[in-house]
Amino acid sequence: CRCCSEGRRHSSILYSILRSQEERAAPAAGPAPRGCPCGSRRRVALRSPQVACKAASAVLVKTLRFVQNVPCFQELPLEEQLLLVRSCWAPLLLLGLAQERVHLETVESAEPSMLQRILTARQHGERPPAPAPGRPHHGPHPPSAGDIQAIKGFLAKCWSLDISTKEYAYLKGTVLFNPDLPGLQCTQYIEGLQREAQQALNEHIRLIHRGDEARFAKLNVVLSLLRSINANVVAELFFRPIIGAVNMDDMLLEMLCAKL
């Protein structure tokens, strides 16, 4: 009928109008814009390095004291203890910072870009610096904005989950007892301890968070975030501004053998 045909005609017109408005509003066809990676490579520093480094040092001492008070850890030979602590001090420290709710305030550093260094070198008749493949250099690696964002993202994830003291303890146990490290002699024993820590975490969640079946998986996501954070970045951020060129192996050995 005429009404139906008119309705279809008006619907077709309305559709074409809306379509044309969408096309005008939409960006021109072409490859999607890609974010410039320069922002994630910007150098940043702690706003108050003395305050943050003091807090991190206190958390590291508290963390190693926690580790030393684990009876099954004390049963391991000293060489095994040191090997475990050397491999996981950074993730243990970050878990401690999250547990203590230590917030990081950062500012951009004034380090010149590669282009600025090249132009400055040419202006003074010097040879422009040649970037090495992969890593810029083999010396100290100041944390970039991307490095800091990864640490802040990890802390925010922990705080959003409102992790309890027991959950932090089980997470630390899972990180500490890593049987996959090369050079370990008590591999089966350490693997059993890691498995016990995961089982204890799962049982605690089922007892306390009965309605949250995904919480165990969420806490394991926290562990995966930890693995993406480089220990050298943690050392550069929290210890170099105060201690200088710190050798973390020597410091950990000294702290582990001392009565904390």
Side-chain angles (χ1 to χ4, degrees):
C1 67
R2 182 177 180 183
C3 293
C4 293
S5 61
E6 287 292 326
R8 285 195 297 268
R9 188 172 68 86
H10 287 302
S11 297
S12 177
I13 293 173
L14 179 61
Y15 174 77
S16 63
I17 292 173
L18 292 174
R19 182 65 181 271
S20 64
Q21 289 178 343
E22 291 175 356
E23 290 175 351
R24 285 197 298 268
R34 303 176 63 181
C36 177
C38 302
S40 63
R41 293 199 299 263
R42 291 195 312 269
R43 299 302 173 200
V44 293
L46 295 171
R47 183 182 296 275
S48 302
Q50 290 81 4
V51 175
C53 294
K54 183 178 180 180
S57 299
V59 170
L60 182 60
V61 171
K62 190 173 182 179
T63 299
L64 290 181
R65 186 183 296 125
F66 162 83
V67 169
Q68 287 180 323
N69 290 332
V70 177
C72 48
F73 180 81
Q74 295 177 345
E75 295 176 2
L76 291 168
L78 180 60
E79 294 78 9
E80 303 274 286
Q81 295 181 21
L82 184 58
L83 186 58
L84 290 174
V85 170
R86 278 175 173 170
S87 70
C88 70
W89 71 267
L92 287 179
L93 174 62
L94 292 174
L95 282 170
L97 292 175
Q99 186 174 2
E100 299 294 328
R101 299 238 167 204
V102 176
H103 292 264
L104 303 182
E105 294 186 13
T106 57
V107 293
E108 285 193 33
S109 64
E111 181 181 350
S113 65
M114 177 60 70
L115 177 60
Q116 290 174 320
R117 281 182 285 170
I118 291 175
L119 294 176
T120 304
R122 287 179 176 175
Q123 184 178 4
H124 291 84
E126 301 172 1
R127 186 175 181 179
R135 202 178 181 89
H137 52 76
H138 299 286
H141 179 54
S144 66
D147 296 328
I148 302 300
Q149 190 58 41
I151 295 177
K152 287 186 174 181
F154 163 77
L155 296 175
K157 182 67 174 178
C158 291
W159 297 334
S160 69
L161 291 173
D162 195 20
I163 301 175
S164 67
T165 301
K166 283 190 175 181
E167 288 171 333
Y168 273 118
Y170 297 140
L171 289 173
K172 290 174 185 177
T174 302
V175 170
L176 174 63
F177 298 113
N178 180 9
D180 299 325
L181 294 176
L184 287 176
Q185 301 298 322
C186 308
T187 306
Q188 292 184 349
Y189 178 66
I190 294 172
E191 184 177 6
L193 294 175
Q194 187 184 66
R195 185 166 54 249
E196 288 181 15
Q198 283 277 283
Q199 290 173 350
L201 175 62
N202 199 10
E203 291 174 5
H204 173 79
I205 291 172
R206 285 189 295 179
L207 180 64
I208 304 299
H209 302 275
R210 296 181 181 178
D212 192 353
E213 298 179 355
R215 185 168 181 83
F216 183 74
K218 293 176 183 176
L219 291 178
N220 276 283
V221 169
V222 168
L223 295 180
S224 67
L225 292 176
L226 273 177
R227 298 186 191 102
S228 66
I229 300 174
N230 193 309
N232 293 330
V233 170
V234 178
E236 289 288 335
L237 182 65
F238 292 109
F239 298 105
R240 178 174 287 277
I242 300 299
I243 305 176
V246 59
N247 187 318
M248 291 304 300
D249 285 351
D250 293 343
M251 189 171 76
L252 290 169
L253 177 60
E254 182 178 349
M255 296 175 73
L256 195 62
C257 295
K259 290 185 177 181
L260 299 175

